[in-house]
Amino acid sequence: ETLPSLLLNRLHFIAAQHEGLVPIYGRLFAQWMHHAYPRECPYPHLAGTTKPTNIFDYEQDKALLPVAAISEMQGIVTRKRRREAPVNSAPWAPQEEIFAPPG
């Protein structure tokens, strides 16, 4: 299976920022991997933009249970699928962060 041209262009964009090389230890490559393989690769949020919490803290802080009613779940399952491919509609944050030094 061939990757969409949009993904290939984004890979070239990443390389252009790094003297023709794609640092596999950078946030942009991780984001590219997420767009290419969204189920296998998590989205790499920019540092400091999220506040991870575990389920027990969530329940305690929000006084909510992380559950959905049967009708809510059925609504999600039966809604229409997207018309355009997810890669074309997925957000792209062009900020790079290097997770580890090269070498």
Side-chain angles (χ1 to χ4, degrees):
E1 184 176 321
T2 304
L3 291 170
S5 61
L6 178 63
L7 275 180
L8 295 175
N9 289 339
R10 287 183 173 163
L11 199 57
H12 289 292
F13 168 79
I14 297 167
Q17 291 188 339
H18 298 280
E19 300 175 359
L21 300 174
V22 176
I24 61 172
Y25 44 81
R27 196 196 75 78
L28 284 177
F29 182 68
Q31 181 177 223
W32 185 88
M33 289 293 292
H34 169 72
H35 284 260
Y37 306 100
R39 293 182 184 195
E40 293 86 357
C41 303
Y43 181 80
H45 294 277
L46 289 163
T49 62
T50 62
K51 184 182 175 193
T53 186
N54 69 42
I55 191 68
F56 303 109
D57 292 340
Y58 176 84
E59 288 177 353
Q60 197 171 36
D61 291 347
K62 306 293 183 194
L64 298 171
L65 292 176
V67 296
I70 297 292
S71 60
E72 289 177 279
M73 291 186 267
Q74 288 173 335
I76 291 170
V77 170
T78 58
R79 75 177 157 201
K80 293 183 179 180
R81 296 192 182 271
R82 302 178 197 194
R83 290 187 179 210
E84 61 182 40
V87 71
N88 293 333
S89 61
W92 181 264
Q95 296 84 6
E96 178 69 286
E97 293 177 338
I98 302 298
F99 298 136

